[in-house]
Amino acid sequence: MDHNSIISVENLTKKFPTGDRDFAALKDVNLKFSQGEFAGLVGPSGSGKTTLLNIIGSLDSPTEGKVSVMNKDISSLSHKESAHLRNLHLGFIFQVYNLLPIYTVFENVEFSLLLQKRTAAERKKAVMEALEWVGLQSFANKKPAKLSGGEGQRVAIARAMVKRPAIVLADEPTANLDAANAHIVMKTMKKLNSELKTTFLFATHDEKVMSYLDRMIRLEDGRVAEDEHVEHKKEVL
Ligand code: ADP
Ligand code: MG
C-alpha cells in the first residue's frame, strides 16, 4: 500500500450488467492522489467520471481492482466502517445540491455534524465558520427557497466542508450555475483547498471548472487517456 497517497486506485474495473452481457464503465484505471490536490476527472458524458467518483466515495463498489482511501482498502470495510469513513472524512457536492427545504440554511449545514458527537455550542461554531467560508453567515436563518442557485451551491459547499473532511468529491458542481456563479463557487473551493489543505476531486465537463484545476485526468470510454499537471493560471486565482 502506498502511504503517501490519500486516494489510490489500482487496476480498477467496473462492469454494469446490461441485458445479455456486462458493460465496462471503467477499464483498468490506475490513479493516485496526494493530500491537498485540486484535481478533476474530465471527459465526455458517459466516459466514467461519475462512476469513478462514486467508487472512491464508497457509494458504489469495484468489480475488480483495489481502491484505498486514507490508507484503507475500501472493499475490506464493513458497512459500519464504510459509513464511518464517509461521515468523518468525506464531503460530497453534487450537481443538484438537494438542500432540505423545510430546514434553514443553518440546519442544513448542521446535519452532517449530528452524526458526530459534538455539543450544540461546538456545532454552532463549526456551522457559522463554514457559512463564513462561503460568505453566507447572514443567510443562516433563511430557508433554501429564498436562495439563488449560486447561493444554494455555496450552502452545499459549507455542508460538505463543515466537518473539515480530508477529501471533497464534487460531481459537476457548476452544471446548474451561470458563469458568474460558477466562478464564485470554484474560487470558494480553491480558497478552501489552499487554506485547509482539503483534497478536492471533481468530475466535470465544464471548461470553467477545468480552468481552476491543478491536475486534469481525461477519461475516454472508461480509460485514463491523459493525466496532466496544469501550470497555475494566476489570473483565475
Ligand atoms: P460520466 O459521469 O462521465 O458522464 P458515468 O460514470 O455516469 O459517466 O457513466 C459511464 C457509463 O456507464 C455510461 O455509459 C453509463 O451509461 C454507464 N452506467 C453508469 N451507471 C450505470 C448503471 N447503474 N447501470 C448501467 N450502466 C451504467
Ligand atoms: Mg457524470
Side-chain angles (χ1 to χ4, degrees):
M1 196 181 291
D2 181 350
H3 289 275
N4 295 320
S5 303
I6 193 164
I7 301 167
S8 154
V9 176
E10 291 168 59
N11 308 114
L12 171 65
T13 293
K14 176 65 180 181
K15 292 178 181 162
F16 291 113
T18 53
D20 51 346
R21 60 196 199 99
D22 290 350
F23 171 80
L26 294 172
K27 300 162 191 161
D28 195 27
V29 172
N30 288 279
L31 289 168
K32 288 187 190 306
F33 299 93
S34 309
Q35 191 191 340
E37 284 206 60
F38 201 74
L41 307 170
V42 306
S45 177
S47 55
K49 305 184 296 295
T50 294
T51 303
L52 180 51
L53 216 60
N54 286 348
I55 291 173
I56 290 171
S58 287
L59 302 174
D60 202 348
S61 54
T63 307
E64 288 162 37
K66 185 173 144 188
V67 177
S68 300
V69 175
M70 304 190 71
N71 291 316
K72 290 192 171 71
D73 177 351
I74 59 168
S75 53
S76 73
L77 301 179
S78 68
H79 189 73
K80 197 176 163 190
E81 288 167 334
S82 166
H84 185 77
L85 178 74
R86 280 197 304 274
N87 294 338
L88 221 51
H89 301 299
L90 300 185
F92 293 90
I93 298 171
F94 301 101
Q95 171 178 350
V96 182
Y97 41 81
N98 286 327
L99 300 175
L100 300 167
I102 64 164
Y103 295 102
T104 64
V105 164
F106 182 96
E107 290 163 335
N108 268 279
V109 175
E110 185 185 30
F111 247 103
S112 58
L113 295 178
L114 296 176
L115 297 164
Q116 303 176 359
K117 291 194 184 76
R118 301 219 208 169
T119 66
E122 285 167 346
R123 290 200 303 271
K124 183 171 184 194
K125 184 165 177 284
V127 171
M128 292 314 292
E129 186 176 37
L131 288 175
E132 199 181 324
W133 289 335
V134 300
L136 293 176
Q137 311 91 297
S138 62
F139 286 62
N141 296 318
K142 287 203 160 81
K143 292 280 173 66
K146 302 275 186 224
L147 307 181
S148 70
E151 288 159 356
Q153 193 57 292
R154 278 151 65 202
V155 174
I157 295 171
R159 178 180 57 186
M161 291 299 301
V162 69
K163 54 192 177 177
R164 291 174 176 257
I167 301 166
V168 169
L169 302 172
D171 195 353
E172 309 280 4
T174 58
N176 289 335
L177 303 180
D178 60 35
N181 275 303
H183 284 290
I184 291 171
V185 159
M186 287 311 296
K187 284 198 170 93
T188 304
M189 289 192 272
K190 186 68 197 128
K191 186 180 71 150
L192 291 166
N193 165 254
S194 304
E195 290 176 4
L196 301 174
K197 301 287 173 264
T198 311
T199 306
F200 278 79
L201 180 57
F202 294 87
T204 187
H205 58 263
D206 182 349
E207 298 280 346
K208 297 187 288 302
V209 173
M210 294 179 206
S211 70
Y212 289 84
L213 300 176
D214 297 335
R215 178 181 174 192
M216 256 194 277
I217 296 141
R218 188 170 304 281
L219 294 183
E220 276 170 26
D221 290 332
R223 291 185 197 278
V224 175
E226 209 180 344
D227 183 355
E228 59 166 357
H229 286 269
V230 186
E231 280 303 308
H232 272 291
K233 293 181 193 146
K234 287 232 163 49
E235 68 271 23
V236 301
L237 299 178

